[in-house]
Amino acid sequence: MINTQIIENLQILLHKEDTTLLEKLSFKENTFSEPLLIAYFNNKKLGTLSSEILTEIMQGFFIEKEPLKIKNSYNQNKIAYIPNIGYYNHNRELVEPILEIEDLEVIKELHPLLNRYLIEFYKGHITNPNPEYRSVWENHIATLKNALTLIKENIPDFFKEFHSANKKIFIHNNPRILNFTSIETLGMLYFYATPYATLMYFVEELIHQGSHNILYHITFDKKDFFKIDAPNTIMRDLTKQKWDYRDIYGAFHGVYTVYKRLECYDILLQKNALEGKDKHELLGRLADQFSRFHTGLELLNLDEVYTEKGKAFYVDLDKKCESIINKYVLLKREFDLSNRDLDFRYEDFCLLNSFEDFLIKDKQGFYNF
């Protein structure tokens, strides 16, 4: 799943930047899939960055240990995160070790290179470019672990894909910073988590956001898939739907992530992996995918937008989505999702969809598909 072209490009950039540094590095796969390494070169395009930052980021991957360098890595909380090593305070004392769950690293304190990616965003508009947030990993670590275990044990093929493309997760407390990934920090997941964050919340977002990172690898060479400049072509310019602020590439990501959720939800239901409130929420989240399918891409002239490879990929995704949706079509009439804004939130879903009524129907086998 890892796109070797990405690794090769990073090695070339490192060679141009600092040949001495490149010689010190272990050439293991995780060395060149470090999200902060990718973020460094993307941040450098915006202005001058000290090369010392690159050394600080990569020193945890050195073949031979050297004296610790942390001067440029302190964040707003005066904590320096050094990948593969740990978290240090201003006295250069280790205050937190690296934490991994099912080979996914939980970021306890964000590195300053990543600050600019966290913004408040609503329907195509940045509403706050410098929001406040704080890490809340400790409050949600058990639920995250349960979600990863559930995926690993019940959807092993997806878990392998997920693991290949997703390296780290940062969990914060600001729900106005919508969950996201970025190709500029490839391998990172950014989640908000409220006190109401459930098992299924993490399951959905691991599948949803994790699939974005998977697709970045698959479609890294966009010319293989698109005849047009997909990231810089706005949907409404081609579909004439005035509301559609998305770019073509982002909308394509939407189809892929809807399919991966439908695929995984179908497997979980067929395996009877969840019960009670977890199953209630799973069915609600599955029903939520109906309104996320066929939101514009089906209106495009496929031969003008896609290469043959891209067209075949899109058509296959579209057919698979439609097949699963048809399988669960009764859910479209079963649940009331009228109070959903951008995100599905289980506490809101329960206001309109009684859990007690669900339990009665579930015992009667109504939700056996």
Side-chain angles (χ1 to χ4, degrees):
M1 177 58 64
I2 291 291
N3 190 306
T4 56
Q5 187 179 345
I6 298 173
I7 303 299
E8 291 167 2
N9 288 353
L10 286 169
Q11 290 174 347
I12 291 169
L13 288 170
L14 268 168
H15 184 266
K16 290 180 178 179
E17 184 85 2
D18 190 337
T19 54
T20 304
L21 176 60
L22 186 61
E23 291 168 357
K24 294 178 180 180
L25 293 172
S26 165
F27 272 61
K28 294 180 180 178
E29 181 183 286
N30 69 327
T31 301
F32 301 101
S33 59
E34 167 55 50
L36 279 174
L37 173 61
I38 301 168
Y40 171 81
F41 288 111
N42 281 298
N43 275 266
K44 191 176 180 184
K45 292 185 296 186
L46 303 176
T48 303
L49 281 180
S50 169
S51 59
E52 292 178 348
I53 298 176
L54 183 58
T55 300
E56 292 179 21
I57 290 169
M58 299 308 294
Q59 62 191 316
F61 303 96
F62 286 177
I63 298 170
E64 297 181 5
K65 290 184 178 181
E66 296 186 2
L68 193 64
K69 299 178 177 66
I70 56 176
K71 181 177 70 173
N72 300 282
S73 296
Y74 289 103
N75 66 11
Q76 58 192 8
N77 297 324
K78 299 181 180 179
I79 298 294
Y81 165 57
I82 308 298
N84 243 24
I85 297 179
Y87 301 81
Y88 290 81
N89 63 20
H90 261 296
N91 295 322
R92 301 174 64 84
E93 298 168 331
L94 180 68
V95 292
E96 286 284 351
I98 299 295
L99 172 63
E100 289 188 352
I101 300 175
E102 298 290 358
D103 296 319
L104 181 70
E105 183 180 344
V106 178
I107 300 299
K108 299 175 179 179
E109 288 280 351
L110 207 63
H111 191 282
L113 279 180
L114 303 181
N115 286 336
R116 74 181 185 88
Y117 296 99
L118 281 84
I119 59 174
E120 293 179 8
F121 187 86
Y122 187 78
K123 293 186 177 181
H125 300 285
I126 296 173
T127 56
N128 185 355
N130 296 297
E132 293 184 1
Y133 57 86
R134 61 181 175 82
S135 174
V136 290
W137 67 271
E138 289 178 292
N139 299 336
H140 302 282
I141 199 71
T143 310
L144 173 64
K145 183 176 182 179
N146 290 338
L148 285 165
T149 301
L150 181 75
I151 294 171
K152 182 179 181 180
E153 292 180 350
N154 291 281
I155 324 170
D157 290 342
F158 174 76
F159 186 80
K160 289 177 184 177
E161 287 185 294
F162 175 88
H163 178 251
S164 68
N166 294 277
K167 307 302 177 183
K168 305 186 180 190
I169 182 171
F170 177 64
I171 305 172
H172 61 85
N173 69 332
N174 186 341
R176 292 181 297 277
I177 303 173
L178 299 179
N179 295 345
F180 72 99
T181 62
S182 169
I183 196 168
E184 293 196 2
T185 64
L186 185 60
M188 275 289 298
L189 301 165
Y190 304 84
F191 290 9
Y192 73 80
T194 70
Y196 306 104
T198 62
L199 172 69
M200 269 308 305
Y201 168 76
F202 278 101
V203 169
E204 165 144 355
E205 291 306 319
L206 289 168
I207 297 168
H208 177 188
Q209 304 304 332
S211 294
H212 280 299
N213 277 333
I214 292 168
L215 192 62
Y216 287 138
H217 281 275
I218 294 172
T219 60
F220 182 69
D221 191 345
K222 296 176 185 61
K223 291 180 181 178
D224 282 350
F225 296 87
F226 300 97
K227 292 180 179 179
I228 62 174
D229 183 6
N232 294 304
T233 303
I234 304 304
M235 284 284 291
R236 61 173 164 249
D237 293 339
L238 298 184
T239 65
K240 308 309 176 185
Q241 294 187 106
K242 292 182 179 180
W243 67 268
D244 202 342
Y245 55 84
R246 300 171 299 168
D247 62 74
I248 298 290
Y249 187 57
F252 190 81
H253 265 258
V255 174
Y256 185 76
T257 59
V258 164
Y259 166 63
K260 296 308 287 187
R261 278 176 279 180
L262 286 170
E263 178 187 49
C264 292
Y265 292 170
D266 181 36
I267 292 170
L268 290 173
L269 285 167
Q270 295 311 308
K271 289 188 173 183
N272 293 312
L274 295 166
E275 59 184 16
K277 288 190 173 182
D278 293 328
K279 184 176 179 180
H280 186 221
E281 183 173 355
L282 168 58
L283 290 168
R285 289 183 178 276
L286 196 159
D288 183 48
Q289 301 310 305
F290 283 74
S291 63
R292 301 180 189 276
F293 177 57
H294 277 179
T295 59
L297 282 179
E298 72 282 358
L299 302 176
L300 299 175
N301 183 322
L302 303 187
D303 293 316
E304 290 181 1
V305 171
Y306 300 106
T307 63
E308 285 303 310
K309 181 178 180 179
K311 179 180 175 180
F313 190 20
Y314 168 74
V315 169
D316 184 55
L317 289 175
D318 188 72
K319 288 181 178 178
K320 287 177 176 176
C321 278
E322 189 169 22
S323 176
I324 298 173
I325 279 176
N326 287 340
K327 181 177 180 179
Y328 295 96
V329 69
L330 73 81
L331 295 180
K332 190 173 185 179
R333 301 183 298 273
E334 177 68 8
F335 296 126
D336 184 348
L337 299 172
S338 60
N339 63 349
R340 193 264 284 163
D341 187 13
L342 296 178
D343 289 347
F344 179 100
R345 298 188 179 179
Y346 184 56
E347 63 271 23
D348 293 336
F349 176 77
C350 287
L351 295 175
L352 300 180
N353 300 277
S354 166
F355 174 62
E356 289 72 22
D357 290 348
F358 158 79
L359 284 178
I360 293 170
K361 286 188 173 183
D362 194 35
K363 288 179 181 178
Q364 296 170 346
F366 183 80
Y367 299 109
N368 295 335
F369 296 90

